[in-house]
Amino acid sequence: MRLELEKRSEHSTFYSIASPFIAIGLTLIFGAILFAVIGKDPAEALYIYFVSPLTSTWSLHELAVKSAPLILIGAGLSLCFLSSNWNIGAEGQFVMGAVFGSMMPIVFPDVQNTFVLPLMIIMGMAGGAAYAFIPAFLKTRFGTNEILTSLMLVYVAQLFLDWLVRGPWRNPEGFNFPESRTFHEYAILPEVLESGRAHYGAVFAVLAVIGLAVLLSKTLKGFEIQVAGQAPRAGRFGGFSAAKMTFFAFLLSGALAGLAGISEVSGAVQQLRPVVSPGYGFTAIIVAFLGRLNPIGVLFAGILLGISYLGGEEAQIVLGLSDKITRVFQGMLLFFVLACDTLILYRIRFVSTRTPALAMGEN
Amino acid sequence: METDTQTAKDPQAGDFERSGDLLLQAQGITKRFGEILANNNVSIDLRAGEIHALLGENGAGKSTLVKILYGALEPNDGALLWRGKPVAITSPAEARKLGIGMVFQHFSLFEALTVAENIALALPGKLSIRELSERIRKVSTDYGLELDPGAIVADLPVGIRQRVEIVRCLLQEPDLIIMDEPTSVLTPQETDQLFITLQRLTKEGCAILYISHRLEEVKQICHHATIMRHGEVVSECDPSKETPATLASMMVGAEIKDVRKPSAGAPGDERLVIERLSAPADGPFGVALRDVDLTIHAGEVVAIAGIAANGQGELFDLISGERLSALPESVRIDGQPVGRKGVNERRRAGAAFVPEERLGHGAVPGLKLSENIVLTRHGVNDGLVRAGFVNRSRAAELEKKIKKNYDVRMSHDDPEARSLSGGNLQKFVVGRELDRNPGVIVINQPTWGVDAGAAATIRQELIDLARAGSAVLVISQDLDEIFEVADRIAVISRGELSDAEPAESMTRERIGLLMGGITDAHTAQGGGAATHAA
């Protein structure tokens, strides 16, 4: 017996919807096995990991705080990946968004009025977009591989931030801690509800999802994105420019990552620190694929991955597990998502290795 | 299925005189791909000293059968016998060990390597390049297929590349050679040379399985023919006793309508003018175009003949605007210079284009047909786009209309482009453009890999469009097609285009000479000396 992949003549509608759920199911099964192997009760561990974050108002607010950047970045990346532009550097664009956006309250702390926050948000988006411009330019001008350049620029951005908060932007009243000054009240993204910490970043995320969903499914630009990703030669025949598409995809996903960055800093952290992201930009790659590169799908995928962050923290506290467990779960999830995507265009068949009549032929 | 096992066992069965030892027999071969039965209980027997034609339309199951015979596919059912003994051919290596060689339709040569190095890669055992070169020289002169073992493949014309494939196959001293469409890339002269080689091989007792769409050739050189349709063997015959028309109707299972070509009348206005169009090669294996001149008038069909990769693709890209030319005046549509304008502006000027590659160039495989209509028509004010939003119901309307008017067959409404058969997709891609009633249409390989029925329909539509006052430019490698549709014929060779001459005064022989780059007083001087630009 062996397995054979058989190509379908068209995409399977059923599996385009079912494949993320199959992937989640497989992740849960293998997660349970993992917990059992390290000697924890699988049922309890999975409950703590995936259910307990949903059981209190406090944790729901935390979930919104964690999911919002994932959704914002993931939605931008899904569009970028659909057009076959592989922006792996959203983490760097997130950081640069945070840095550019924080310029007002840190460099000009005396300017305090209602225009500061909108300006910060615009500068955050511009910072992310400008940072994403670099790999797009290198790709279109010199044909460099954007996966490498965008990824390497992440480390440049992280070290730049690290240098800023230890050097020129260090809080003069901060006892030499590597932190910027805390933001004044006009520079803080307000909370949405009285009941908790969730800030307007969550609203931005929902708006971005709706906007991109419309862009992708209804507009000529969305059509162009699909064509560029699936058949670049046909795109040229349709009169679409591949270079313009690369810039569009990188600038848009960079701007959204920058928006996520400034929202996180001005909403949740309220100052710059050496590290402002627990890897949102990378996790958002999983979010984009788990959401099947569809903005609405990304909304749910972002929430699920947000749960995995919270569950990971919970598991550290309650079960004494390493925080690496979160990474393991996210890795498994991405692996199964990509594997299950195969089902959309292929069906699996079991075939016997050789028909008996032919096998007998030798004598 | 009445023919198979009987004929296999008894050489005298049927109406045919067939001598020669049985070499390879396939009995009751069945191969399933999902729901599709690619081969259904197929039997064929190949004999020493015989050129055996395998005929059928695209999708009839020929390639599947050949892949099974060559060990590249495993059948679900059925048996293979080599010289009367059951064998299992599980890989091409095993097929070669038995003595089965194959010459592929698409070359499997490394362009950056020499002839000898390419051949060394395919031969078992270790032989020094010098010894091998000696053998190549000997075998190739023996069979009249002269080759220089030290030449780099990239520098060789297509006809010579095929020789490399054939010589590579001969060096393995096969008893059976499978040839898939060997003449599709050859000039008439090169084809004649190939036939001499084939006849010599059969005299030496070699068997040849010959797959071709060119029924004239089959009639001329094949001793026996097996005809397939929808995965089954429908009949066998002696092709020398048939006509191309009867062979074709056996393949299709119905009479094929003749293409009617009413006379063109006096030439109308100039609609498409290409003037002194030159362009450098766009890559190491691209072809540079040099001073191409061509004028197409309202009401006429002009065809460009030529062997593959002589600049047809480059010329198409430059006319369509996927690539811009240096001067605006180099390409003019209805007098309007468009050489520096993009493909959509040229479409707005009244032109339409159908590229050679259907999937991936003319259509996006994973998108629905209605979406593929948007691909080429979003820029021409068809009401498909309003304020940046795609009007999907309008696209669906057009899809239904094209499906009906151009007889595009599909399993359900508005499927993805990839699920259509080659002929149906081509009807759709052509229909999508004809539906706009274009003033100028440029079409590259209009019926490449399209079944005979659909091909006749498409050719008729092109002629009708021209007679209604449009200018039609057909780029094709199929001479039969060219003579069927063209009022005037030009030949492209190494990026240079000969003058377009009236079809009545053109002969196949003259086209063959022009294809080889031999020009005379009629054509512009300086041809033939063109080389690959770096």
Side-chain angles (χ1 to χ4, degrees):
Chain A
M1 290 285 275
R2 68 159 192 257
L3 285 171
E4 210 171 63
L5 284 179
E6 196 175 274
K7 198 156 187 181
R8 300 175 194 271
S9 66
E10 292 187 64
H11 292 105
S12 153
T13 323
F14 173 73
Y15 280 106
S16 345
I17 295 163
S19 109
F21 293 101
I22 299 173
I24 292 168
L26 287 168
T27 308
L28 291 180
I29 292 167
F30 280 84
I33 294 171
L34 180 80
F35 285 128
V37 168
I38 56 177
K40 308 282 175 191
D41 175 13
E44 189 202 354
L46 287 176
Y47 177 83
I48 289 169
Y49 209 100
F50 288 104
V51 184
S52 66
L54 302 172
T55 51
S56 69
T57 319
W58 169 84
S59 57
L60 285 174
H61 274 278
E62 281 309 302
L63 182 58
V65 171
K66 292 263 189 286
S67 302
L70 291 176
I71 295 166
L72 268 174
I73 307 171
L77 287 184
S78 61
L79 183 144
C80 199
F81 295 160
L82 271 180
S83 73
S84 267
N85 285 295
W86 304 102
N87 180 3
I88 307 300
E91 180 81 1
Q93 292 138 26
F94 179 96
V95 168
M96 288 314 248
V99 167
F100 271 68
S102 306
M103 203 181 277
M104 283 308 294
I106 294 175
V107 183
F108 308 103
D110 300 331
V111 182
Q112 298 197 5
N113 58 47
T114 42
F115 295 108
V116 172
L117 189 63
L119 191 62
M120 285 168 66
I121 287 169
I122 291 168
M123 285 175 69
M125 292 175 78
Y131 208 57
F133 176 84
I134 303 171
F137 174 75
L138 292 174
K139 178 183 182 183
T140 49
R141 182 71 183 77
F142 301 108
T144 49
N145 183 320
E146 75 272 25
I147 297 177
L148 293 178
T149 51
S150 63
L151 177 63
M152 290 191 293
L153 284 167
V154 170
Y155 306 109
V156 176
Q158 287 173 339
L159 291 170
F160 179 63
L161 170 66
D162 191 79
W163 172 75
L164 276 179
V165 294
R166 288 173 202 279
W169 283 13
R170 188 173 51 193
N171 188 353
E173 294 123 39
F175 312 104
N176 261 344
F177 278 105
E179 293 170 350
S180 77
R181 61 172 83 236
T182 48
F183 293 179
H184 56 74
E185 56 176 323
Y186 290 102
I188 287 172
L189 196 58
E191 285 148 7
V192 185
L193 298 171
E194 292 284 302
S195 59
R197 231 161 65 83
H199 53 76
Y200 268 87
V203 177
F204 295 155
V206 173
L207 290 179
V209 162
I210 295 169
L212 291 188
V214 171
L215 177 82
L216 267 180
S217 60
K218 302 282 180 207
T219 67
L220 185 62
K221 196 76 196 169
F223 178 74
E224 186 183 339
I225 289 166
Q226 291 181 45
V227 173
Q230 294 184 30
R233 191 77 216 274
R236 188 144 52 103
F237 187 59
F240 304 129
S241 152
K244 277 186 199 155
M245 178 48 69
T246 299
F247 280 111
F248 176 80
F250 267 89
L251 293 183
L252 186 82
S253 58
L256 286 174
L259 176 61
I262 187 57
S263 303
E264 173 78 7
V265 169
S266 76
V269 192
Q270 306 182 355
Q271 68 177 167
L272 276 186
R273 293 180 186 158
V275 175
V276 292
S277 158
Y280 287 136
F282 292 120
T283 308
I285 298 171
I286 308 177
V287 171
F289 280 106
L290 183 64
R292 302 221 28 73
L293 304 185
N294 173 327
I296 308 284
V298 163
L299 181 68
F300 293 104
I303 292 171
L304 182 68
L305 268 289
I307 291 175
S308 84
Y309 270 117
L310 286 180
E313 283 170 13
E314 192 89 0
Q316 280 181 62
I317 297 162
V318 182
L319 300 172
L321 290 172
S322 152
D323 63 337
K324 297 284 184 292
I325 202 82
T326 308
R327 294 265 150 199
V328 172
F329 259 105
Q330 293 180 349
M332 277 204 293
L333 194 54
L334 179 63
F335 173 81
F336 285 120
V337 165
L338 295 179
C340 290
D341 269 6
T342 312
L343 292 172
I344 296 170
L345 205 51
Y346 294 85
R347 67 169 66 84
I348 294 177
R349 266 188 345 130
F350 296 93
V351 287
S352 54
T353 332
R354 179 81 65 82
T355 51
L358 285 166
M360 305 278 287
E362 232 58 63
N363 44 10
Chain B
M1 294 312 350
E2 64 293 0
T3 43
D4 18 341
T5 36
Q6 281 303 312
T7 23
K9 279 179 193 140
D10 180 4
Q12 299 304 320
D15 300 336
F16 327 110
E17 290 285 325
R18 294 180 71 188
S19 54
D21 302 332
L22 271 173
L23 221 46
L24 180 65
Q25 287 168 272
Q27 296 178 340
I29 297 289
T30 296
K31 177 72 188 174
R32 225 173 259 112
F33 295 108
E35 299 119 46
I36 301 156
L37 209 49
N39 275 186
N40 183 11
N41 197 18
V42 171
S43 300
I44 189 168
D45 55 319
L46 306 173
R47 290 160 188 276
E50 192 176 74
I51 305 182
H52 190 132
L54 183 58
L55 300 177
E57 296 199 88
N58 281 335
K62 291 172 307 199
S63 349
T64 305
L65 178 61
V66 164
K67 279 182 192 156
I68 289 170
L69 297 182
Y70 194 57
L73 274 181
E74 234 176 84
N76 296 106
D77 204 356
L80 296 173
L81 284 79
W82 179 255
R83 296 189 191 281
K85 285 189 193 130
V87 284
I89 305 176
T90 53
S91 71
E94 214 154 312
R96 284 196 290 268
K97 227 182 283 167
L98 286 174
I100 303 173
M102 177 147 181
V103 177
F104 291 92
Q105 181 180 10
H106 298 289
F107 300 129
S108 48
L109 297 175
F110 293 97
E111 297 204 327
L113 300 184
T114 65
V115 170
E117 285 164 345
N118 262 295
I119 291 175
L121 284 171
L123 289 184
K126 282 189 187 131
L127 212 59
S128 78
I129 290 285
R130 186 180 304 171
E131 285 170 307
L132 185 63
S133 300
E134 215 38 60
R135 279 189 64 197
I136 293 170
R137 226 172 250 125
K138 186 168 176 309
V139 170
S140 62
T141 36
D142 268 6
Y143 285 94
L145 297 166
E146 278 79 2
L147 270 183
D148 171 11
I152 305 279
V153 168
D155 299 333
L156 299 176
V158 198
I160 306 291
R161 289 188 201 194
Q162 191 187 41
R163 280 190 190 176
V164 180
E165 293 264 357
I166 295 172
V167 169
R168 175 163 78 179
C169 185
L170 291 179
L171 279 173
Q172 295 158 9
E173 289 164 6
D175 299 310
L176 167 65
I177 301 178
I178 302 171
M179 295 189 130
D180 193 359
E181 301 263 357
T183 58
S184 62
V185 294
L186 302 183
T187 64
Q189 286 82 355
E190 286 171 323
T191 303
D192 290 341
Q193 176 61 49
L194 176 70
F195 290 168
I196 295 171
T197 309
L198 294 187
Q199 264 145 10
R200 175 153 173 215
L201 280 167
T202 48
K203 269 200 202 100
E204 291 172 1
C206 196
I208 291 166
L209 181 61
Y210 190 87
I211 301 165
S212 179
H213 278 114
R214 303 194 172 172
L215 301 174
E216 278 288 355
E217 281 175 17
V218 168
K219 177 174 160 54
Q220 189 189 336
I221 63 159
C222 294
H223 306 110
H224 191 78
T226 297
I227 293 148
M228 291 183 73
R229 188 162 71 226
H230 303 314
E232 298 181 2
V233 172
V234 288
S235 62
E236 293 188 55
C237 67
D238 178 349
S240 62
K241 296 192 180 113
E242 305 286 334
T243 66
T246 56
L247 288 173
S249 60
M250 278 190 249
M251 277 165 57
V252 183
E255 292 290 321
I256 295 171
K257 264 192 279 175
D258 277 341
V259 174
R260 288 173 305 103
K261 187 168 74 174
S263 60
D269 298 336
E270 295 182 348
R271 298 209 76 163
L272 175 65
V273 178
I274 298 152
E275 194 172 275
R276 298 188 60 78
L277 176 65
S278 297
D282 58 354
F285 303 119
V287 179
L289 292 184
R290 307 216 309 178
D291 283 340
V292 172
D293 283 304
L294 185 66
T295 301
I296 304 168
H297 302 90
E300 71 172 344
V301 180
V302 175
I304 296 180
I307 305 158
N310 268 279
Q312 291 97 326
E314 285 82 354
L315 182 61
F316 179 86
D317 285 357
L318 280 157
I319 302 177
S320 70
E322 286 172 84
R323 209 176 141 192
L324 301 182
S325 45
L327 299 171
E329 288 79 23
S330 296
V331 181
R332 298 200 295 272
I333 295 168
D334 285 334
Q336 188 187 340
V338 293
R340 300 291 303 160
K341 296 198 168 149
V343 58
N344 282 324
E345 279 177 272
R346 297 186 196 199
R347 288 188 179 120
R348 278 194 287 274
F353 311 99
V354 181
E356 173 178 4
E357 198 72 30
R358 289 182 283 270
L359 277 180
H361 189 173
V364 181
L367 292 186
K368 293 176 173 172
L369 292 185
S370 62
E371 294 172 313
N372 271 300
I373 292 174
V374 179
L375 180 70
T376 63
R377 294 177 58 166
H378 64 86
V380 292
N381 310 325
D382 270 344
L384 281 167
V385 179
R386 275 198 210 122
F389 283 79
V390 175
N391 185 344
R392 284 181 187 271
S393 57
R394 169 88 178 122
E397 239 169 68
L398 283 172
E399 189 262 343
K400 287 209 176 65
K401 184 175 155 207
I402 290 167
K403 173 173 118 183
K404 182 165 155 282
N405 291 355
Y406 298 93
D407 186 31
V408 183
R409 290 174 208 170
M410 48 191 83
S411 52
H412 60 94
D413 197 39
D414 204 9
E416 288 170 18
R418 75 165 102 238
S419 71
L420 259 58
S421 72
N424 272 312
L425 186 57
Q426 186 71 1
K427 280 195 274 186
F428 169 76
V429 169
V430 173
R432 175 180 69 186
E433 305 306 325
L434 292 180
D435 179 64
R436 285 179 47 215
N437 197 15
V440 170
I441 189 165
V442 182
I443 180 163
N444 194 359
Q445 312 299 351
T447 61
W448 186 263
V450 168
D451 58 87
T457 314
I458 289 171
R459 289 170 193 167
Q460 188 64 58
E461 275 156 6
L462 291 174
I463 293 171
D464 294 346
L465 180 74
R467 295 303 181 255
S470 299
V472 177
L473 175 60
V474 172
I475 303 172
S476 177
Q477 290 167 43
D478 182 343
L479 286 185
D480 295 333
E481 168 169 274
I482 284 179
F483 278 108
E484 216 168 286
V485 300
D487 301 308
R488 287 190 298 141
I489 300 171
V491 178
I492 192 165
S493 170
R494 297 185 190 181
E496 294 190 35
L497 189 69
S498 75
D499 287 346
E501 297 174 36
E504 309 87 71
S505 64
M506 267 288 196
T507 60
R508 277 166 198 267
E509 181 153 52
R510 181 159 162 71
I511 291 177
L513 291 174
L514 289 168
M515 281 174 169
I518 298 165
T519 54
D520 58 25
H522 285 294
T523 52
Q525 66 280 65
T531 47
H532 285 279

